[in-house]
Amino acid sequence: MEKCRLGTLVLVEGIDETRFYRQAHSDFSPVGWHLGHIAFTEAYWILERYAGLKPLFPEYHRLFAADGLPKCDRQKLPSLAEIQDYLDIVRTQVFDYLEIAPLDHQERLWRWLVQHESQHAETIAFILQLHRLSAKNNTLCQTGRTPTSFVLDDPFAKGEMSPDKGQMIKIPAGEFVMGSDEIDAMDNERPCDRVFLDTYWIDRYPVTCHQYRAFIEAGGYQNHQWWSVEGWKWLQDNPVAYPLYWSDEPFWDNHPVYGVSWYEAEAYANFVGKRLPSEAEWEKAASWDVQKGCHHIYPWGDTEPTSYFCNHDNTVGHTTPVHAYPQGQSASGCYDMLGNVWEWTASWFDGYKGFVSYPYRGYSQAYFDGEHRVLRGGSWTTRPWAMRCSFRNWYYPSVRQILAGFRCAVDG
């Protein structure tokens, strides 16, 4: 919990009032609100629900509750110093309670809280990205840092191969274990089940900027033949000609494209004669070891994420080449399944058979509405506690502000 909080606070070091108070986009609350919501959520579940204490700062309830004010009304906030005091006061009392807490009964909730903060920290990270984008007049500035070059110890770095060759991995037909019943699994990951999939092929890498440029240059944004009816309508209502976080600089060619809506990802897949993978196909390619007949928590095994395996936790501060982490590939041979950019899938977000909401209906179940598409994997800002092959993210297909790209699949 301390390590998670430190990473959250590092994100807002030196933040100015504009980025703290103002919305970067109408769909997302200001940075300051997310900090207050983290404190409010921790106080509610631990101090009120578990410790039985009276609400701390009851005047904050309507402001920082998820179902309180509309996002547009969340800009009148206390100062950063006041919200940091709120975080500190809550955390001190939470740790006092932790000394006597019956963790054998409460562990799942405590782990949920760490992941809840991790998710809001990621939201803060991409909101700051949106502010930087606005300040740069829509010119790509992935983090404000100088882009890092990578020395890659694998065949691609030596020019023997290229991630832009359209390489695909064959995933043979058969069952695999989907989901998770581990203590830290979110309600929408449960219960795990054996799922049968026919043979299919999936891209070894996420689609790169170099590959996506071919779609742009071929008039992909002007030709309706690649777009679904819903996608073309979205494009007419939101006329764009390239991804939100786009740059023509060659430096980014082997980095994954991101800042695309689900509709853009679908159109590109149609353009190259492929499709988006289902989330089951994505998870099997990420987690299943066909030879051993077992699944792994992470693509590389069951060792927790580090900078050796993937680009995450704001360590690099921007995307990395899709082939930069050969040691993080899955047993099937897919790269970048965790970290770098989230990946859109073809699946609608829904509960698995036997789903039970936790800790409240509004965390997942409220979004089982047939309007949200599933994303998998994580991004360069995702905290390690919110990363595993079974973790599910979800957004409207029209959203392109998140750090999301995609990879493609074809039938076997």
Side-chain angles (χ1 to χ4, degrees):
M1 293 179 76
E2 290 178 329
K3 187 175 181 181
C4 180
R5 178 60 49 83
L6 178 62
T8 301
L9 295 178
V10 164
L11 289 171
V12 297
E13 284 183 350
I15 191 171
D16 57 48
E17 289 191 357
T18 297
R19 292 181 296 159
F20 184 75
Y21 289 109
R22 291 186 185 176
Q23 287 179 282
H25 187 276
S26 59
D27 288 343
F28 303 101
S29 302
V31 167
W33 183 88
H34 287 279
L35 290 174
H37 176 69
I38 288 168
F40 170 81
T41 303
E42 194 168 293
Y44 175 76
W45 287 103
I46 300 298
L47 301 181
E48 296 181 38
R49 294 291 296 265
Y50 277 171
L53 302 179
K54 292 182 179 180
L56 283 176
F57 302 93
E59 66 273 20
Y60 287 165
H61 187 284
R62 187 161 181 261
L63 175 59
F64 291 126
D67 57 355
L69 297 174
K71 291 183 175 68
C72 60
D73 294 333
R74 295 174 177 177
Q75 300 180 82
K76 296 179 179 179
L77 298 164
S79 68
L80 173 59
E82 290 174 299
I83 292 180
Q84 286 181 319
D85 284 343
Y86 183 30
L87 285 161
D88 291 343
I89 291 168
V90 169
R91 177 52 64 86
T92 297
Q93 293 197 28
V94 163
F95 277 4
D96 286 344
Y97 175 71
L98 180 57
E99 295 292 333
I100 61 170
L103 287 179
D104 52 336
H105 299 298
Q106 296 180 1
E107 181 181 358
R108 185 181 178 190
L109 192 281
W110 289 84
R111 289 181 178 270
W112 178 87
L113 275 172
V114 173
Q115 295 180 79
H116 174 267
E117 177 166 342
S118 299
Q119 290 173 279
H120 281 276
E122 174 155 3
T123 303
I124 289 172
F126 75 69
I127 289 172
L128 293 174
Q129 171 97 330
L130 289 171
H131 279 300
R132 285 189 291 268
L133 187 70
S134 177
K136 293 289 182 178
N137 296 318
N138 293 328
T139 299
L140 178 69
C141 179
Q142 299 211 37
T143 146
R145 305 182 196 178
T146 301
T148 302
S149 296
F150 280 78
V151 177
L152 307 178
D153 185 21
D154 72 344
F156 307 104
K158 302 170 185 175
E160 298 169 14
M161 304 175 73
S162 167
D164 275 353
K165 294 295 186 183
Q167 299 173 37
M168 301 193 79
I169 301 292
K170 182 179 182 180
I171 309 297
E175 287 188 337
F176 81 106
V177 176
M178 184 173 181
S180 174
D181 289 326
E182 297 295 324
I183 190 69
D184 58 353
M186 297 302 208
D187 59 1
N188 59 69
E189 297 172 65
R190 299 164 177 258
C192 63
D193 194 12
R194 296 193 72 87
V195 175
F196 178 87
L197 293 177
D198 291 326
T199 299
Y200 63 98
W201 295 74
I202 191 167
D203 287 348
R204 185 186 294 271
Y205 311 99
V207 172
T208 65
C209 292
H210 182 265
Q211 290 171 315
Y212 199 86
R213 185 180 288 108
F215 174 68
I216 296 173
E217 293 178 347
Y221 282 92
Q222 293 77 43
N223 192 334
H224 67 83
Q225 76 177 97
W226 311 119
W227 299 76
S228 63
V229 173
E230 296 83 2
W232 188 249
K233 182 180 185 306
W234 170 84
L235 185 60
Q236 305 317 297
D237 294 340
N238 302 272
V240 295
Y242 45 80
L244 181 61
Y245 306 114
W246 180 253
S247 173
D248 273 325
E249 294 180 19
F251 175 88
W252 304 107
D253 277 1
N254 282 343
H255 292 235
V257 66
Y258 77 116
V260 293
S261 68
W262 186 90
Y263 297 124
E264 290 166 278
E266 179 193 40
Y268 174 88
N270 290 335
F271 172 72
V272 295
K274 301 180 182 180
R275 60 175 173 79
L276 295 179
S278 69
E279 65 168 324
E281 289 173 332
W282 188 98
E283 186 171 334
K284 184 176 183 180
S287 68
W288 191 246
D289 189 322
V290 174
Q291 292 186 342
K292 296 181 180 179
C294 67
H295 74 111
H296 296 293
I297 299 173
Y298 311 104
W300 53 84
D302 298 326
T303 304
E304 293 181 355
T306 69
S307 57
Y308 178 76
F309 294 116
C310 62
N311 177 16
H312 73 297
D313 206 16
N314 299 289
T315 303
V316 177
H318 55 74
T319 58
T320 47
V322 296
H323 52 299
Y325 295 89
Q327 59 276 11
Q329 64 183 297
S330 67
S332 64
C334 289
Y335 281 59
D336 258 8
M337 299 299 277
L338 291 190
N340 224 2
V341 295
W342 288 98
E343 298 183 20
W344 288 108
T345 74
S347 300
W348 294 105
F349 186 53
D350 203 351
Y352 295 158
K353 183 179 179 181
F355 169 86
V356 177
S357 64
Y358 181 90
Y360 62 103
R361 183 184 180 278
Y363 178 72
S364 294
Q365 194 169 0
Y367 302 96
F368 298 163
D369 55 8
E371 297 182 6
H372 292 76
R373 294 285 186 176
V374 175
L375 301 102
R376 293 301 197 100
S379 75
W380 50 268
T381 69
T382 305
R383 312 301 304 281
W385 306 281
M387 297 183 73
R388 50 188 171 270
C389 295
S390 58
F391 193 92
R392 306 170 77 198
N393 196 358
W394 63 94
Y395 275 98
Y396 289 112
S398 58
V399 172
R400 66 203 305 255
Q401 291 72 30
I402 56 177
L403 311 181
F406 61 100
R407 73 181 71 215
C408 299
V410 295
D411 295 337

